[in-house]
Amino acid sequence: MIALNFKNIDELKDMHYKAILSHVNAHLTPKDIASLYANVITLPGFEGYPAKYNAKTDNYTWLKEFILADFNTLKKWVAICATKLRFQQFKTIYLTKFSNGYDNFVDTENTYNAYVLLEKMDISVCPYCEHEFFEIVEIDDVKRRTCEFDHFFPKGDANYPALAMCFYNLVPSCIPCNRLKKTRSVTASPYSSDIEKQSFLYPDLEIGVNMETVKQEDCCVQFHAMGDMVVNEKTLALEQRYAHLAPNIYHLLKKRQQYPEEKLEEMERLGINTKDQLLLDFFGNPREKAKGKELHTKMKQDLIGY
């Protein structure tokens, strides 16, 4: 429901690719690498690579192009050549190294795994639902995470195990979303820039209604999904999961009715405070600052435009 636009995206991708390259060089035999190469170059976009692998001249550009392929390229591969995405090497890396505890690492330098990527992404809420926080906690001196990396295109053996370590197939996800999704489809990816335009959250209230006459329980959010978000809403039960927020919505709408733009501008003219500071005091951080850090910023923006 929120787009993943990381400011440090180049750093994230570089770190991800170099860790996988380190693993490939350290743990795969020349025969394994040749087999991996043969599988990758059958995909659209790799037509310029020679059919026969040559270890002496290999600079691993094929590996980088595969691992860092953008979301639209992954979507194209899944649509037109799904059976070519069944090779297992990257799924093995994911299960045994990347996502196998905080003290297992992909690279030989022992610096990179799911915990490190999540920390570097610097995101605190689930982009699928914006309804759950991410945390890394410590229990009995062992780090645990309350989030997972969802494979937008499932990594199951009968699905797309080859994409298990592709950067744009790894979506930081809360456990509820990942468990609800499992291997079922969602069609809107947080790596798609237009995902935020495909939903609108609103209460089923009359326009201009006096909030003093409204009951809290009547402020349940309605989730209007469009395009690819229709499947996401159904699969992840988004509207149902927002149902208990009626009191929050009620108080937000009531306060916004008490302090419309004209009132805030008047208070600024009277010298009470600046409009921006008043907005912050009454409604918290604006979305451009809160997105990825606080819950329900899409809902707040849709409800009160802030």
Side-chain angles (χ1 to χ4, degrees):
M1 196 164 61
I2 60 172
L4 292 175
N5 299 314
F6 299 114
K7 294 180 180 179
N8 61 337
I9 186 64
D10 291 334
E11 176 191 359
L12 295 175
K13 293 195 297 185
D14 187 61
M15 177 176 62
H16 188 71
Y17 163 67
K18 285 180 177 177
I20 295 172
L21 177 61
S22 173
H23 182 90
V24 167
N25 279 325
H27 299 289
L28 269 62
T29 67
K31 184 178 180 181
D32 291 334
I33 297 175
S35 174
L36 189 60
Y37 173 87
N39 283 314
V40 168
I41 65 165
T42 65
L43 298 169
F46 292 89
E47 292 83 1
Y49 286 89
K52 187 174 181 180
Y53 179 72
N54 187 334
K56 293 182 180 179
T57 60
D58 187 17
N59 60 5
Y60 292 99
T61 56
W62 59 274
L63 178 64
K64 187 173 186 177
E65 289 179 23
F66 178 78
I67 290 297
L68 301 184
D70 62 31
F71 174 74
N72 287 331
T73 299
L74 300 183
K75 189 175 180 180
K76 177 181 177 181
W77 291 343
V78 166
I80 68 176
C81 53
T83 58
K84 294 181 179 181
L85 300 171
R86 303 276 167 78
F87 52 96
Q88 298 285 323
Q89 291 97 325
F90 293 118
K91 180 179 177 180
T92 299
I93 295 173
Y94 180 87
L95 293 175
T96 62
K97 297 296 182 180
F98 180 75
S99 192
N100 190 26
Y102 80 100
D103 54 356
N104 277 298
F105 300 94
V106 176
D107 56 329
T108 55
E109 294 78 20
N110 293 334
T111 61
Y112 185 75
N113 58 19
Y115 286 81
V116 174
L117 180 56
L118 184 67
E119 180 181 10
K120 293 289 186 180
M121 283 179 162
D122 193 28
I123 184 171
S124 304
V125 297
C126 177
Y128 277 132
C129 65
E130 212 184 17
H131 191 58
E132 301 282 347
F133 277 116
F134 295 157
E135 285 116 357
I136 294 177
V137 298
E138 198 166 301
I139 303 173
D140 296 331
D141 298 324
V142 176
K143 289 183 180 179
R144 308 284 185 188
R145 50 191 167 99
T146 64
C147 60
E148 300 172 343
F149 275 97
D150 171 61
H151 289 86
F152 185 85
F153 301 109
K155 68 181 184 301
D157 291 348
N159 300 115
Y160 320 104
L163 304 182
M165 286 297 292
C166 287
F167 183 86
Y168 285 102
N169 197 35
L170 293 170
V171 179
S173 168
C174 68
I175 291 174
C177 279
N178 207 21
R179 298 289 167 84
L180 288 169
K181 179 177 176 285
K182 294 185 179 178
T183 59
R184 292 184 295 166
S185 293
V186 292
T187 49
S189 169
Y191 287 116
S192 296
S193 58
D194 63 346
I195 188 173
E196 296 180 18
K197 300 177 182 178
Q198 297 183 37
S199 65
F200 186 79
L201 288 77
Y202 65 98
D204 190 15
L205 300 173
E206 293 181 10
I207 296 175
V209 65
N210 184 349
M211 291 304 298
E212 296 288 351
T213 68
V214 175
K215 297 178 181 178
Q216 287 191 19
E217 58 267 28
D218 293 333
C219 287
C220 289
V221 73
Q222 308 290 308
F223 197 107
H224 177 57
M226 299 163 279
D228 289 339
M229 274 300 297
V230 172
V231 176
N232 283 46
E233 194 287 317
K234 181 178 179 181
T235 298
L236 303 177
L238 294 176
E239 186 172 284
Q240 295 179 59
R241 292 165 66 190
Y242 274 61
H244 69 275
L245 294 179
N248 306 61
I249 296 168
Y250 171 79
H251 289 295
L252 183 64
L253 292 175
K254 185 177 179 181
K255 186 176 289 186
R256 187 52 166 160
Q257 194 169 76
Q258 292 172 335
Y259 297 102
E261 293 295 307
E262 308 80 47
K263 180 68 173 180
L264 296 175
E265 290 167 0
E266 180 186 356
M267 293 172 73
E268 184 175 45
R269 286 194 298 270
L270 292 172
I272 296 174
N273 217 323
T274 66
K275 181 180 175 182
D276 286 344
Q277 186 59 50
L278 290 167
L279 282 167
L280 184 65
D281 291 342
F282 293 142
F283 305 109
N285 288 314
R287 188 160 196 247
E288 59 266 22
K289 183 176 181 179
K291 188 170 74 170
K293 300 291 186 181
E294 300 176 14
L295 301 180
H296 310 131
T297 67
K298 177 72 164 67
M299 183 184 77
K300 185 169 78 170
Q301 184 182 57
D302 289 348
L303 293 178
I304 66 169
Y306 178 72

